[in-house]
Amino acid sequence: MKRTAAICAIVATILSALSCGQAARKAETPVYLDESRPIEERVEDALSRMTLEEKVKILHAQSKFSSAGVPRLGIPDLWTTDGPHGIRPEVLWDEWNQAGWTNDSCVAFPALTCLAATWSEEMSALYGKSIGEEARYREKDVLLGPGVNIYRTPLNGRNFEYMGEDPYLASKMVVPYIQEVQKNGVAVCVKHFALNNQESLRHEYDAVIDDRTLNEIYLPAFKAAVQEGGAWSIMGAYNLYKGQHLCHNQYILNDILKKEWGFDGAVISDWGGCHDTDEAITNGLDLEFGTWTDGLTMGATNGYDAYHLADSYLERLRDGRASEDVLNDKVRRVLRLNFRTAMRKDKPNGSLCSPEHYDAARKIADEGIVLLKNEGNILPISRKAGSRILVVGENALKMMTVGGGSSSLKVQREILPLDGIRAAAGEGVTVDYERGYVGDVSGSYNGVVTGQDLSESRSAEELINDACKKAAEADAVIFIGGLNKSRHQDCEDSDRLGLGLPYGQNAVIEALAKANPNLAVVIISGNAVAMPWVDNVNAIVEAWYCGSQSGIALADVIFGDVNPSGKLPMTFPVKLEDNGAHHLGAYNPESRTANYSEGIFVGYRWAQKQDIRPLFAFGHGLSYTSFGYSEASVSKTKMAADGTVTVSVNVTNTGDREGKEIVQLYIGDDEASVERPVMELKSFRKVSIKPGETVKVSFEVNADMLKYYSEENGGWTLEKGVFTAYIGAASDDIRTSVKFSVR
Ligand code: BGC
């Protein structure tokens, strides 16, 4: 009994001690762990608890895609992933090669050029939500994307990862993507900031550009990403500006991004973009990734200590060469990023390869595919029983989700164009295939292999003859070609070598057009291509890289189950010299200086200034119905500098099926004291209109939409005088205009 009582007493003492301990521990919950507290308080609290070594430790990578947290404080590691079209498969800790997981296949969403071609903020939000959920499910904290570098030359190998040539369109399209991704507790990392408009010599070229062009053309989409989208991180670009690499650039990162725009997130270096310890410390870099040390390439241990923001930084801090204030600013930014993502407890679970994500990919592709030409209503193709369709071209059966560089993916499925067309053609319609040409038969990237055997033994001549023979007997012919994701095409780290279609495709198209006038040419690319055969082909479609659902979406448009509503986010010039940078010889892939001498005259701004007729203009895109525009009206003809005017137009569906029109508002300054573009996109609206229905579209114009960046004043300037509001269906298809003046 006595023994039992003694044991009970001991147990009671232990229990009470334990519960006191628990209470004490509860009372001591550190501020930084308390999610009910404002994030800034938590960041300050965590910062105050960290040692110098811990602070430096979180500022650089610890593996290919992760950086360390603070284990002692329970702050987790940060995991990044490419981006921007799907979630990259897992690689080994220290290598680019595959980790060999079997649960890391994703949905590939359409390339960002296609998203931009939807001109739909709703589609951008759907994209961000869906890819954000995939990132979340894969437990990623930072999605390396989206990209908003302006389309300066059609040769840029990475244009397919960006949102076109117009700063306003890119600004509008990037914001919903960011907001929706971040709702998942996953940060975006907007890239590549800034002036990364070519891949040739991307680590070496210095962008020489005037302030006006920088501010009017190349910065607005990044600014919108930061100020309107609220991006939590941004990626420095590889190239230089004013002689400093953009991953540590005083002007762009400190002066503009952090001071002028008030960015409170982290600047992450592009992989291997950091070159100098002192510049990295002082010029705005916060988190260093991918620096090429022996440790990385050889897989030896702790190559990461050799990073610029690692041991050499620590040495400078210890001997007083580097200031702790600057260090603390970096640490705060990285902690903020961590607290917003990895550390956040109430995150949604996300989902991977869900039916909703496949639907989203299809919807975005459906709205982004652009009908460039459709004479004689060649499209949509009828499904008449007994009819024969011939599909020709390598891109009809080549997987495009593998390749192209860091945006390469391992997909759960990719519906190829030929399969999509076959599935949608229906009973009684025969779909035959001919190769037509041989392009690039390889199919692997960083150990992900397509497994496709695209080998072909026939000569180019035989391939054309075989295709033409069948074409002559078909009711309709669809040629599916364009570019692919191989080097010198739409691919990171190299630019294209010319505007023309590769692999002798022009000859195939010319021959097919002669064999059968019922020919539709489908271009799969992320860039403009030359079309010397344009007058001989009645129907042309730009189908981009549409990812997992590409074949389904293409078939939707080809058979008319979806009425196309995409419009070009970039100009298709007839020839390279019709582009400003090329006309002036300002794009030189071998030069370490990139002179942006065409200035603000990028894309349609150049074409209109020089009165050059493009092959297909910025904003161009047809529908299976037609739209009529009324005369535009303006709410008042005089606008106060701090006021607004409203410009309106009635748009009527004059055809016989429902369709979506993208009504575009451009503004021109009639009395500018400096040279300005003939007109610039300032607003747009995508509206769905039923046959016979009329929809009123109104745009509110304010002073900000009329300003230009004055180098003299060092800022945005409004000039009084007369302005013209142009409203139309494309930059070269203005249907109506009105004038108003600013007092
Ligand atoms: C690319 C980035 C990418 C990074 C990580 C770099 O080569 O430029 O866009 O996010 O690699 O894969």
Side-chain angles (χ1 to χ4, degrees), residues 209-285:
I209 184 169
D210 59 75
D211 283 354
R212 179 174 175 201
T213 306
L214 180 69
N215 281 281
E216 288 191 17
I217 305 291
Y218 294 95
L219 292 185
F222 287 105
K223 187 175 182 182
V226 167
Q227 294 191 332
E228 293 166 48
W232 291 334
S233 74
I234 199 163
M235 185 185 288
Y238 280 141
N239 47 293
L240 299 91
Y241 168 65
K242 294 198 178 179
Q244 288 175 359
H245 279 99
L246 277 149
C247 288
H248 30 77
N249 189 291
Q250 172 63 28
Y251 315 99
I252 296 287
L253 300 180
N254 281 343
D255 297 347
I256 295 181
L257 175 68
K258 292 183 176 175
K259 282 201 200 101
E260 204 181 305
W261 298 353
F263 176 66
D264 71 355
V267 173
I268 300 181
S269 75
D270 198 346
W271 272 229
C274 179
H275 300 272
D276 183 281
T277 303
D278 295 309
E279 281 193 9
I281 293 170
T282 53
N283 292 353
L285 179 64

Coordinates of all heavy atoms in Angstrom, one line a residue, residues 209-285:
I209 N 20.5 51.1 -73.3 CA 19.1 51.5 -73.5 C 18.9 52.8 -72.9 O 19.4 53.1 -71.8 CB 18.2 50.4 -73.0 CG1 16.7 50.7 -73.3 CG2 18.3 50.2 -71.5 CD1 15.8 49.6 -73.0
D210 N 18.0 53.7 -73.5 CA 17.8 55.0 -72.9 C 16.7 54.8 -71.8 O 15.9 53.8 -71.8 CB 17.4 56.0 -73.9 CG 16.2 55.6 -74.7 OD1 15.0 55.6 -74.1 OD2 16.3 55.1 -75.9
D211 N 16.6 55.7 -70.9 CA 15.7 55.6 -69.8 C 14.2 55.6 -70.2 O 13.4 54.9 -69.6 CB 15.8 56.8 -68.8 CG 17.0 56.6 -68.0 OD1 17.7 55.6 -68.0 OD2 17.4 57.6 -67.2
R212 N 13.9 56.3 -71.3 CA 12.5 56.4 -71.8 C 12.1 55.0 -72.2 O 11.0 54.5 -71.8 CB 12.4 57.4 -72.9 CG 11.0 57.4 -73.4 CD 10.8 58.5 -74.4 NE 9.4 58.4 -74.9 CZ 9.0 58.9 -76.1 NH1 9.9 59.6 -76.9 NH2 7.8 58.8 -76.5
T213 N 12.9 54.4 -73.0 CA 12.6 53.0 -73.5 C 12.5 52.0 -72.4 O 11.6 51.2 -72.3 CB 13.7 52.6 -74.6 OG1 13.7 53.6 -75.6 CG2 13.3 51.3 -75.2
L214 N 13.4 52.1 -71.5 CA 13.4 51.2 -70.3 C 12.1 51.3 -69.6 O 11.4 50.3 -69.3 CB 14.6 51.6 -69.4 CG 14.7 50.8 -68.1 CD1 15.2 49.4 -68.4 CD2 15.8 51.4 -67.2
N215 N 11.7 52.6 -69.3 CA 10.5 52.8 -68.5 C 9.2 52.6 -69.3 O 8.2 52.1 -68.7 CB 10.5 54.2 -67.9 CG 11.4 54.3 -66.7 OD1 11.0 53.9 -65.6 ND2 12.6 54.7 -66.9
E216 N 9.2 52.9 -70.6 CA 7.9 52.7 -71.4 C 7.7 51.3 -71.8 O 6.6 50.9 -72.0 CB 7.9 53.7 -72.6 CG 7.7 55.1 -72.2 CD 7.4 56.1 -73.3 OE1 7.1 55.6 -74.4 OE2 7.6 57.3 -73.1
I217 N 8.8 50.6 -72.2 CA 8.6 49.3 -72.8 C 9.0 48.1 -71.9 O 8.3 47.2 -71.8 CB 9.4 49.2 -74.1 CG1 9.1 50.4 -75.1 CG2 9.3 47.9 -74.8 CD1 7.7 50.3 -75.7
Y218 N 10.2 48.2 -71.3 CA 10.7 47.0 -70.7 C 10.4 46.8 -69.2 O 10.6 45.7 -68.7 CB 12.3 46.9 -71.0 CG 12.5 46.8 -72.5 CD1 12.8 47.8 -73.3 CD2 12.4 45.5 -73.0 CE1 13.0 47.7 -74.7 CE2 12.6 45.3 -74.4 CZ 12.9 46.4 -75.2 OH 13.1 46.3 -76.6
L219 N 10.0 47.9 -68.5 CA 9.8 47.7 -67.1 C 8.3 47.6 -66.7 O 8.0 47.0 -65.7 CB 10.4 48.9 -66.3 CG 11.9 49.0 -66.3 CD1 12.3 50.2 -65.4 CD2 12.6 47.7 -65.8
P220 N 7.4 48.1 -67.5 CA 6.0 48.1 -67.0 C 5.4 46.8 -66.5 O 4.7 46.7 -65.5 CB 5.2 48.7 -68.1 CG 6.1 49.5 -68.9 CD 7.4 48.8 -68.8
A221 N 5.7 45.7 -67.2 CA 5.1 44.4 -66.8 C 5.7 44.0 -65.5 O 5.0 43.4 -64.7 CB 5.3 43.4 -67.9
F222 N 7.0 44.2 -65.3 CA 7.6 43.9 -64.0 C 7.0 44.7 -62.9 O 6.7 44.2 -61.8 CB 9.1 44.0 -64.1 CG 9.8 43.0 -64.9 CD1 10.3 43.3 -66.2 CD2 10.0 41.7 -64.4 CE1 10.9 42.3 -66.9 CE2 10.6 40.7 -65.2 CZ 11.1 41.0 -66.5
K223 N 6.8 46.0 -63.2 CA 6.3 46.9 -62.2 C 4.8 46.4 -61.8 O 4.5 46.4 -60.6 CB 6.2 48.3 -62.7 CG 5.8 49.4 -61.8 CD 6.0 50.7 -62.3 CE 5.6 51.8 -61.3 NZ 5.7 53.2 -61.9
A224 N 4.0 46.1 -62.8 CA 2.7 45.6 -62.5 C 2.8 44.3 -61.7 O 2.0 44.1 -60.8 CB 1.9 45.4 -63.8
A225 N 3.7 43.5 -62.0 CA 3.9 42.2 -61.3 C 4.1 42.5 -59.8 O 3.6 41.8 -58.9 CB 5.0 41.4 -61.9
V226 N 4.9 43.5 -59.5 CA 5.3 43.8 -58.2 C 4.2 44.6 -57.5 O 3.7 44.2 -56.4 CB 6.6 44.6 -58.2 CG1 6.9 45.2 -56.8 CG2 7.8 43.7 -58.6
Q227 N 3.7 45.7 -58.1 CA 2.8 46.6 -57.4 C 1.4 46.1 -57.5 O 0.6 46.3 -56.5 CB 3.0 48.0 -58.0 CG 4.4 48.5 -57.7 CD 4.5 50.0 -58.0 OE1 3.8 50.5 -58.8 NE2 5.4 50.7 -57.3
E228 N 0.9 45.5 -58.6 CA -0.5 45.1 -58.7 C -0.6 43.6 -58.3 O -1.5 43.2 -57.7 CB -1.0 45.4 -60.1 CG -1.2 46.8 -60.4 CD -1.4 47.1 -61.9 OE1 -2.3 46.4 -62.5 OE2 -0.7 47.9 -62.5
G229 N 0.4 42.8 -58.8 CA 0.3 41.4 -58.5 C 0.8 41.1 -57.1 O 0.4 40.1 -56.6
G230 N 1.6 41.9 -56.6 CA 2.2 41.6 -55.3 C 3.2 40.4 -55.2 O 3.2 39.6 -54.3
A231 N 4.0 40.3 -56.3 CA 4.9 39.2 -56.4 C 5.8 39.1 -55.2 O 6.4 40.1 -54.8 CB 5.7 39.3 -57.7
W232 N 6.0 37.9 -54.7 CA 6.8 37.7 -53.5 C 8.3 37.5 -53.8 O 9.2 37.6 -52.9 CB 6.3 36.6 -52.6 CG 5.0 36.8 -52.0 CD1 4.5 38.0 -51.7 CD2 4.0 35.8 -51.6 NE1 3.2 37.9 -51.1 CE2 2.9 36.5 -51.1 CE3 3.9 34.4 -51.7 CZ2 1.8 35.9 -50.6 CZ3 2.8 33.8 -51.2 CH2 1.7 34.5 -50.7
S233 N 8.6 37.2 -55.0 CA 10.0 37.2 -55.4 C 10.2 37.5 -56.9 O 9.2 37.4 -57.7 CB 10.7 35.8 -55.0 OG 10.3 34.8 -55.9
I234 N 11.4 37.8 -57.2 CA 11.7 38.2 -58.6 C 13.1 37.6 -59.0 O 13.9 37.5 -58.1 CB 11.6 39.7 -58.8 CG1 11.5 40.2 -60.2 CG2 12.8 40.4 -58.2 CD1 11.0 41.6 -60.3
M235 N 13.3 37.2 -60.2 CA 14.6 36.6 -60.6 C 15.4 37.6 -61.4 O 14.9 38.1 -62.4 CB 14.3 35.4 -61.4 CG 15.6 34.6 -61.8 SD 15.3 33.2 -62.9 CE 14.5 32.1 -61.8
G236 N 16.6 37.8 -61.0 CA 17.5 38.7 -61.7 C 17.9 38.0 -63.0 O 17.9 36.8 -63.1
A237 N 18.2 38.8 -64.1 CA 18.5 38.3 -65.4 C 20.0 38.0 -65.5 O 20.8 38.5 -64.7 CB 18.1 39.3 -66.5
Y238 N 20.3 37.2 -66.5 CA 21.7 36.8 -66.7 C 22.6 38.0 -67.2 O 23.8 38.1 -66.9 CB 21.8 35.7 -67.7 CG 21.6 34.3 -67.2 CD1 20.8 33.4 -67.9 CD2 22.1 33.9 -65.9 CE1 20.6 32.1 -67.4 CE2 21.8 32.6 -65.5 CZ 21.1 31.7 -66.2 OH 20.9 30.5 -65.7
N239 N 22.0 38.8 -68.1 CA 22.8 39.8 -68.8 C 23.1 41.0 -68.0 O 22.8 41.0 -66.8 CB 22.0 40.2 -70.1 CG 20.5 40.6 -69.7 OD1 19.8 39.7 -69.3 ND2 20.2 41.8 -69.7
L240 N 23.7 42.0 -68.6 CA 24.2 43.1 -67.8 C 23.4 44.4 -68.2 O 22.8 44.5 -69.3 CB 25.7 43.4 -68.0 CG 26.7 42.3 -67.6 CD1 26.9 41.4 -68.8 CD2 28.0 42.9 -67.2
Y241 N 23.5 45.4 -67.4 CA 22.9 46.7 -67.7 C 23.9 47.7 -67.0 O 24.2 47.5 -65.8 CB 21.5 46.8 -67.1 CG 20.9 48.2 -67.1 CD1 20.7 48.9 -68.3 CD2 20.6 48.9 -65.9 CE1 20.2 50.2 -68.3 CE2 20.1 50.2 -65.9 CZ 19.9 50.8 -67.1 OH 19.4 52.1 -67.1
K242 N 24.3 48.7 -67.7 CA 25.3 49.6 -67.2 C 26.5 48.9 -66.6 O 27.0 49.3 -65.6 CB 24.7 50.6 -66.2 CG 23.6 51.5 -66.8 CD 23.3 52.7 -65.9 CE 22.3 53.6 -66.5 NZ 21.9 54.7 -65.8
G243 N 26.9 47.8 -67.3 CA 28.1 47.2 -66.9 C 28.0 46.3 -65.7 O 29.0 45.6 -65.3
Q244 N 26.8 46.2 -65.1 CA 26.7 45.3 -63.9 C 25.7 44.1 -64.3 O 24.7 44.4 -64.9 CB 26.1 46.0 -62.7 CG 27.1 47.0 -62.1 CD 26.4 47.8 -61.0 OE1 25.2 47.6 -60.7 NE2 27.1 48.7 -60.3
H245 N 26.1 42.9 -63.9 CA 25.1 41.8 -64.1 C 23.8 42.1 -63.4 O 23.8 42.7 -62.3 CB 25.7 40.5 -63.6 CG 26.7 39.9 -64.5 ND1 28.0 40.0 -64.4 CD2 26.4 39.2 -65.7 CE1 28.6 39.4 -65.5 NE2 27.7 38.9 -66.2
L246 N 22.7 41.7 -64.0 CA 21.4 42.1 -63.4 C 21.0 41.3 -62.2 O 20.0 41.6 -61.6 CB 20.3 42.0 -64.5 CG 20.4 43.3 -65.3 CD1 20.0 43.1 -66.8 CD2 19.5 44.4 -64.7
C247 N 21.8 40.3 -61.8 CA 21.5 39.6 -60.6 C 22.1 40.4 -59.4 O 21.8 40.1 -58.2 CB 22.0 38.2 -60.6 SG 21.1 37.1 -61.6
H248 N 22.9 41.4 -59.7 CA 23.4 42.3 -58.7 C 23.7 43.6 -59.3 O 24.8 44.0 -59.7 CB 24.7 41.8 -57.9 CG 25.6 40.9 -58.7 ND1 26.4 41.4 -59.7 CD2 25.7 39.6 -58.7 CE1 27.1 40.4 -60.2 NE2 26.7 39.3 -59.7
N249 N 22.6 44.4 -59.4 CA 22.6 45.6 -60.2 C 22.0 46.7 -59.4 O 20.8 46.8 -59.1 CB 21.8 45.4 -61.5 CG 22.0 46.5 -62.5 OD1 21.5 47.6 -62.2 ND2 22.6 46.3 -63.6
Q250 N 22.8 47.7 -59.1 CA 22.4 48.8 -58.2 C 21.2 49.5 -58.8 O 20.3 49.9 -58.1 CB 23.6 49.8 -58.1 CG 23.4 51.1 -57.4 CD 22.9 50.9 -56.0 OE1 23.3 49.9 -55.3 NE2 22.1 51.9 -55.5
Y251 N 21.3 49.8 -60.1 CA 20.2 50.7 -60.7 C 18.9 50.0 -60.7 O 17.8 50.5 -60.3 CB 20.6 51.1 -62.1 CG 22.0 51.5 -62.2 CD1 23.0 50.6 -62.7 CD2 22.4 52.8 -61.9 CE1 24.3 51.0 -62.8 CE2 23.8 53.1 -61.9 CZ 24.7 52.2 -62.4 OH 26.0 52.6 -62.4
I252 N 18.9 48.7 -61.2 CA 17.6 48.0 -61.5 C 17.1 47.4 -60.2 O 15.9 47.5 -59.9 CB 17.8 47.0 -62.6 CG1 18.2 47.6 -63.9 CG2 16.5 46.1 -62.7 CD1 17.1 48.3 -64.6
L253 N 17.9 46.8 -59.4 CA 17.4 46.1 -58.2 C 17.3 47.1 -57.0 O 16.2 47.0 -56.3 CB 18.4 45.0 -57.8 CG 18.6 43.9 -58.9 CD1 19.5 42.8 -58.4 CD2 17.2 43.3 -59.3
N254 N 18.3 47.9 -56.7 CA 18.2 48.7 -55.5 C 17.4 50.0 -55.8 O 16.4 50.3 -55.1 CB 19.6 49.1 -55.0 CG 20.2 48.0 -54.2 OD1 19.5 47.1 -53.8 ND2 21.5 48.0 -54.0
D255 N 17.8 50.7 -56.9 CA 17.2 52.0 -57.1 C 15.7 51.9 -57.6 O 14.8 52.6 -57.0 CB 18.0 52.8 -58.1 CG 19.4 53.1 -57.6 OD1 19.6 53.0 -56.4 OD2 20.2 53.5 -58.4
I256 N 15.5 51.0 -58.5 CA 14.2 51.0 -59.1 C 13.3 50.0 -58.4 O 12.2 50.4 -57.8 CB 14.2 50.6 -60.6 CG1 14.9 51.8 -61.4 CG2 12.8 50.4 -61.2 CD1 15.1 51.6 -62.9
L257 N 13.7 48.7 -58.3 CA 12.8 47.7 -57.7 C 12.5 47.9 -56.3 O 11.4 48.0 -55.8 CB 13.5 46.3 -57.9 CG 12.7 45.1 -57.3 CD1 11.4 44.9 -58.0 CD2 13.6 43.9 -57.4
K258 N 13.6 48.1 -55.5 CA 13.4 48.1 -54.0 C 13.0 49.5 -53.6 O 12.0 49.7 -52.8 CB 14.6 47.6 -53.3 CG 14.8 46.1 -53.5 CD 16.0 45.5 -52.8 CE 16.0 44.0 -53.0 NZ 17.2 43.3 -52.4
K259 N 13.7 50.6 -54.1 CA 13.4 51.9 -53.6 C 12.1 52.5 -54.3 O 11.2 52.8 -53.6 CB 14.6 52.9 -53.8 CG 15.6 52.7 -52.7 CD 16.6 53.9 -52.6 CE 17.8 53.4 -51.9 NZ 19.0 53.2 -52.9
E260 N 12.2 52.6 -55.6 CA 11.1 53.3 -56.3 C 9.8 52.5 -56.3 O 8.7 53.0 -56.0 CB 11.6 53.4 -57.8 CG 10.9 54.6 -58.5 CD 11.4 54.7 -59.9 OE1 12.6 54.8 -60.1 OE2 10.5 54.6 -60.8
W261 N 9.9 51.2 -56.5 CA 8.6 50.4 -56.5 C 8.2 49.8 -55.1 O 7.2 49.3 -55.0 CB 8.8 49.2 -57.5 CG 9.0 49.6 -58.9 CD1 9.0 50.9 -59.4 CD2 9.3 48.7 -60.0 NE1 9.2 50.8 -60.8 CE2 9.5 49.5 -61.2 CE3 9.5 47.4 -60.1 CZ2 9.8 49.0 -62.4 CZ3 9.8 46.8 -61.4 CH2 9.9 47.6 -62.5
G262 N 9.1 49.9 -54.2 CA 8.8 49.4 -52.8 C 8.6 47.9 -52.7 O 7.9 47.4 -51.9
F263 N 9.4 47.2 -53.5 CA 9.3 45.7 -53.5 C 9.8 45.2 -52.1 O 10.9 45.5 -51.7 CB 10.2 45.2 -54.6 CG 10.3 43.7 -54.7 CD1 9.2 42.9 -54.9 CD2 11.6 43.1 -54.5 CE1 9.4 41.5 -55.0 CE2 11.7 41.7 -54.6 CZ 10.6 40.9 -54.8
D264 N 9.0 44.4 -51.4 CA 9.5 43.9 -50.1 C 9.8 42.4 -50.2 O 10.1 41.8 -49.1 CB 8.4 44.1 -49.1 CG 7.2 43.2 -49.2 OD1 7.1 42.5 -50.2 OD2 6.3 43.3 -48.3
G265 N 9.8 41.8 -51.3 CA 10.2 40.4 -51.5 C 11.6 40.2 -51.7 O 12.5 41.0 -51.4
A266 N 12.0 38.9 -52.1 CA 13.4 38.6 -52.3 C 13.8 38.6 -53.8 O 13.0 38.1 -54.6 CB 13.6 37.2 -51.7
V267 N 15.0 39.1 -54.0 CA 15.6 39.0 -55.4 C 16.4 37.7 -55.4 O 17.3 37.5 -54.6 CB 16.5 40.2 -55.7 CG1 17.2 39.9 -57.0 CG2 15.7 41.5 -55.7
I268 N 16.0 36.8 -56.3 CA 16.7 35.5 -56.4 C 17.5 35.6 -57.7 O 17.1 36.1 -58.7 CB 15.6 34.4 -56.5 CG1 14.8 34.4 -55.3 CG2 16.3 33.0 -56.8 CD1 13.7 33.3 -55.2
S269 N 18.7 35.1 -57.6 CA 19.6 35.1 -58.8 C 19.1 34.0 -59.8 O 18.5 33.0 -59.4 CB 21.0 34.8 -58.5 OG 21.2 33.4 -58.2
D270 N 19.2 34.3 -61.1 CA 19.0 33.2 -62.0 C 20.2 32.2 -61.8 O 21.2 32.6 -61.2 CB 19.0 33.7 -63.5 CG 18.4 32.7 -64.4 OD1 18.2 31.5 -64.0 OD2 18.1 33.0 -65.6
W271 N 20.0 31.0 -62.2 CA 20.9 29.9 -61.8 C 22.3 30.2 -62.5 O 22.4 30.1 -63.7 CB 20.3 28.6 -62.2 CG 19.4 27.9 -61.2 CD1 19.5 26.7 -60.8 CD2 18.4 28.5 -60.4 NE1 18.6 26.4 -59.8 CE2 17.9 27.5 -59.5 CE3 17.8 29.8 -60.3 CZ2 16.8 27.7 -58.6 CZ3 16.8 30.0 -59.5 CH2 16.3 29.0 -58.6
G272 N 23.2 30.5 -61.7 CA 24.5 30.8 -62.2 C 24.7 32.3 -62.6 O 25.6 32.7 -63.4
G273 N 23.8 33.1 -62.2 CA 23.8 34.5 -62.6 C 24.6 35.5 -61.7 O 24.7 36.7 -62.0
C274 N 25.1 34.9 -60.6 CA 25.8 35.7 -59.7 C 27.3 35.6 -59.9 O 27.8 34.5 -60.0 CB 25.4 35.3 -58.2 SG 26.3 36.2 -57.0
H275 N 28.0 36.7 -60.0 CA 29.4 36.6 -60.4 C 30.4 37.3 -59.5 O 31.6 37.2 -59.7 CB 29.6 37.3 -61.8 CG 28.7 36.6 -62.9 ND1 29.2 35.5 -63.6 CD2 27.5 36.8 -63.3 CE1 28.2 35.1 -64.4 NE2 27.2 35.9 -64.3
D276 N 29.9 38.1 -58.5 CA 30.8 38.9 -57.8 C 30.3 39.1 -56.3 O 29.2 39.5 -56.1 CB 30.9 40.3 -58.5 CG 31.9 41.2 -57.8 OD1 31.6 41.8 -56.8 OD2 33.1 41.2 -58.3
T277 N 31.2 38.7 -55.4 CA 30.7 38.7 -54.0 C 30.3 40.2 -53.5 O 29.3 40.4 -53.0 CB 31.8 38.2 -53.1 OG1 32.1 36.9 -53.5 CG2 31.3 38.1 -51.6
D278 N 31.2 41.1 -53.8 CA 30.9 42.5 -53.3 C 29.7 43.1 -53.9 O 28.9 43.7 -53.3 CB 32.1 43.4 -53.5 CG 33.3 42.8 -52.6 OD1 33.1 42.6 -51.4 OD2 34.4 42.6 -53.2
E279 N 29.6 42.8 -55.3 CA 28.3 43.4 -55.9 C 27.1 42.6 -55.4 O 26.0 43.2 -55.2 CB 28.5 43.2 -57.4 CG 29.3 44.3 -58.1 CD 29.2 44.3 -59.6 OE1 28.3 43.6 -60.2 OE2 30.0 45.0 -60.2
A280 N 27.2 41.3 -55.2 CA 26.1 40.6 -54.7 C 25.6 41.1 -53.4 O 24.4 41.2 -53.1 CB 26.4 39.1 -54.6
I281 N 26.6 41.5 -52.6 CA 26.3 42.0 -51.2 C 25.6 43.3 -51.3 O 24.5 43.5 -50.8 CB 27.5 42.1 -50.4 CG1 28.1 40.7 -50.1 CG2 27.2 42.9 -49.1 CD1 29.5 40.7 -49.4
T282 N 26.2 44.2 -52.1 CA 25.6 45.6 -52.1 C 24.6 45.9 -53.1 O 23.8 46.8 -52.9 CB 26.8 46.6 -52.3 OG1 27.5 46.3 -53.5 CG2 27.8 46.6 -51.1
N283 N 24.5 45.1 -54.2 CA 23.6 45.5 -55.3 C 22.3 44.8 -55.4 O 21.8 44.5 -56.5 CB 24.4 45.5 -56.6 CG 25.5 46.5 -56.7 OD1 25.6 47.3 -55.8 ND2 26.3 46.4 -57.7
G284 N 21.8 44.4 -54.3 CA 20.4 44.0 -54.3 C 20.0 42.5 -54.4 O 18.9 42.2 -54.3
L285 N 21.0 41.6 -54.5 CA 20.7 40.2 -54.5 C 20.4 39.7 -53.1 O 21.1 40.1 -52.1 CB 21.9 39.4 -55.1 CG 21.7 37.9 -55.1 CD1 20.5 37.5 -56.1 CD2 23.0 37.2 -55.6

